[in-house]
Amino acid sequence: MTMPLLKVERLRKSFGDHEVLSGIDLSVNEGDVTCIVGPSGSGKSTLLRCLNHLEKPTGGAIFLQGEPVGVRWRGDRLYEMSFNEMARQRQKMGMVFQGFHLFPHKTALQNITEAPIIVKGTPRHQAEAEGMALLEKVGMPDRAHYYPRQLSGGQQQRVAIARSLAMKPALLLFDEPTSALDPELVGEVLAAMRQLAEEGMTMLVVTHEMLFARDVADHLIFMEGGVIVEQGNPREIMTSPRHERTREFLARVL
Ligand code: ADP
Ligand code: MG
């Protein structure tokens, strides 16, 4: 057995006395695409945000490549990571959000090269060559010098994906990457994601796109009320869910 790339154990998160995650266990192997589905408010975004240090869990543990996330061992005691240690760990996880969060005053290419140049110290010419290759990969080599406002939502999201890839993450997290898009623009973003999946990128994708989940995911997780109700093979879950709550959810979205 090889070590999973990401392992989450009994993860809990509360806001005040509202428990949003009530003991999440999951693991993601290298090269896997895992889709997370579930009704609004079930804790999907909070789960991704805990993985990526945007929220601090109230219990449980997360391991990335075997390393605890957010804390570190010194001897036999756990300490919170320093900001620099967290930043280094966060670089291993790219995150793509529902809103594209591009820098509005930078071109597509500048959005992509910013972090490699500033954070990693990659020489500009190298970052630009890699950035152009990434724009090619997401099907936009001719839009390198466009500003976000000159791009459609689907194009902006593809730039956001290229920007995440520029840091060469071990894992890409997606939080409803197509939910803010006009319906006719969803397909081009899903196509870019599908291509990444085929190239072996490890991806954890919160989505409402059930056909994408069925066709692309290796593993499907259904969350509701802060717990994983059911997980397994996407086709099996979609054709014969074992839990009534999964069945009800699928009846609403399929
Ligand atoms: P989902 O992404 O599945 O729609 P979320 O993780 O966004 O669910 O939210 C789960 C629950 O946590 C919701 O009830 C939401 O209101 C609550 N929540 C999320 N973030 C915060 C926060 N920063 N403070 C208080 N409550 C929050
Ligand atoms: Mg959400």
Side-chain angles (χ1 to χ4, degrees):
M1 269 291 282
T2 54
M3 179 177 68
L5 182 67
L6 175 75
K7 193 159 175 46
V8 176
E9 291 178 351
R10 300 179 308 282
L11 184 71
R12 290 182 176 274
K13 174 66 184 175
S14 299
F15 295 105
D17 52 13
H18 179 197
E19 190 171 68
V20 171
L21 297 176
S22 306
I24 298 286
D25 289 284
L26 67 91
S27 58
V28 175
N29 292 320
E30 203 174 323
D32 270 5
V33 177
T34 301
C35 282
I36 303 178
V37 300
S40 178
S42 53
K44 307 180 299 296
S45 295
T46 303
L47 170 60
L48 291 193
R49 293 169 60 81
C50 284
L51 300 180
N52 203 22
H53 301 276
L54 295 172
E55 298 287 356
K56 194 172 167 322
T58 36
I62 303 165
F63 300 91
L64 182 69
Q65 298 171 322
E67 234 183 55
V69 166
V71 291
R72 53 180 256 149
W73 292 100
R74 250 183 239 132
D76 59 356
R77 290 192 62 183
L78 275 177
Y79 289 84
E80 274 191 41
M81 278 186 167
S82 69
F83 182 80
N84 283 342
E85 288 171 315
M86 284 208 293
R88 206 173 312 122
Q89 203 170 47
R90 187 182 279 145
Q91 280 176 28
K92 297 181 183 173
M93 293 173 271
M95 180 114 171
V96 177
F97 300 92
Q98 181 176 333
F100 326 115
H101 299 297
L102 296 177
F103 301 116
H105 55 291
K106 289 183 189 293
T107 63
L109 184 60
Q110 287 166 345
N111 265 279
I112 296 169
T113 57
E114 167 94 356
I117 291 171
I118 304 285
V119 181
K120 280 196 170 164
T122 306
R124 179 174 299 275
H125 63 91
Q126 185 189 334
E128 286 179 351
E130 289 175 1
M132 286 306 298
L134 289 170
L135 279 169
E136 187 109 24
K137 187 195 278 287
V138 297
M140 298 177 52
D142 52 340
R143 294 290 186 272
H145 306 298
Y146 284 54
Y147 287 88
R149 66 172 181 280
Q150 300 171 311
L151 299 171
S152 72
Q155 291 172 332
Q156 289 183 56
Q157 191 61 300
R158 287 186 282 148
V159 172
I161 291 170
R163 181 176 60 175
S164 301
L165 290 170
M167 292 298 279
K168 303 186 173 78
L171 171 67
L172 264 192
L173 308 172
F174 292 85
D175 194 358
E176 300 196 29
T178 60
S179 295
L181 297 175
D182 291 334
E184 74 272 20
L185 303 178
V186 168
E188 64 193 58
V189 173
L190 293 180
M193 291 169 62
R194 180 189 289 254
Q195 188 192 331
L196 286 182
E198 283 165 4
E199 290 170 4
M201 187 73 211
T202 312
M203 295 162 48
L204 188 56
V205 185
V206 172
T207 186
H208 296 297
E209 296 292 334
M210 299 305 289
L211 295 182
F212 177 85
R214 186 194 66 190
D215 295 341
V216 180
D218 302 290
H219 195 75
L220 180 68
I221 291 175
F222 170 61
M223 270 179 79
E224 192 179 86
V227 298
I228 292 176
V229 175
E230 185 160 351
Q231 60 178 314
N233 178 283
R235 282 167 192 272
E236 275 172 29
I237 291 182
M238 285 189 209
T239 52
S240 42
R242 274 171 285 137
H243 293 267
E244 186 54 35
R245 289 158 79 186
T246 317
R247 203 166 296 140
E248 285 168 9
F249 175 77
L250 291 172
R252 284 201 303 275
V253 297
L254 281 181

